[in-house]
Amino acid sequence: MLTFWIHLRAFFTVVVVSCAHPVNWDQCVRVDQWLLPELQEGYKIWSGQTHPYQSEKDYLKNLPSK
């Protein structure tokens, strides 16, 4: 539960406070382009469906050894 509150506070500090400034409204208005995909990705990581940086990890494993 503590992790949830830490992430919620970080989200508020970074996103909500930044989007409160009129100069940033153009970037913040399309929530469907930046928030929803990241929430979906976060859920996949949280639920164990994917691992962050898995493609990079696979690439490094497949490099030939010296």
Side-chain angles (χ1 to χ4, degrees):
M1 190 65 161
L2 180 61
T3 304
F4 173 76
W5 288 115
I6 291 170
H7 285 87
L8 187 64
R9 180 180 163 103
F11 176 81
F12 182 82
T13 304
V14 173
V15 176
V16 176
V17 173
S18 295
C19 288
H21 300 289
V23 72
N24 296 330
W25 287 352
D26 289 340
Q27 289 78 26
C28 295
V29 73
R30 294 299 309 261
V31 175
D32 61 320
Q33 291 180 348
W34 60 270
L35 181 61
L36 298 180
E38 291 302 319
L39 287 176
Q40 290 173 346
E41 183 68 23
Y43 177 75
K44 288 178 184 176
I45 293 170
W46 177 76
S47 64
Q49 295 175 12
T50 61
H51 187 274
Y53 307 111
Q54 185 64 43
S55 61
E56 290 86 350
K57 187 177 181 179
D58 294 340
Y59 175 78
L60 292 173
K61 282 184 178 180
N62 292 329
L63 286 176
S65 299
K66 289 185 178 183

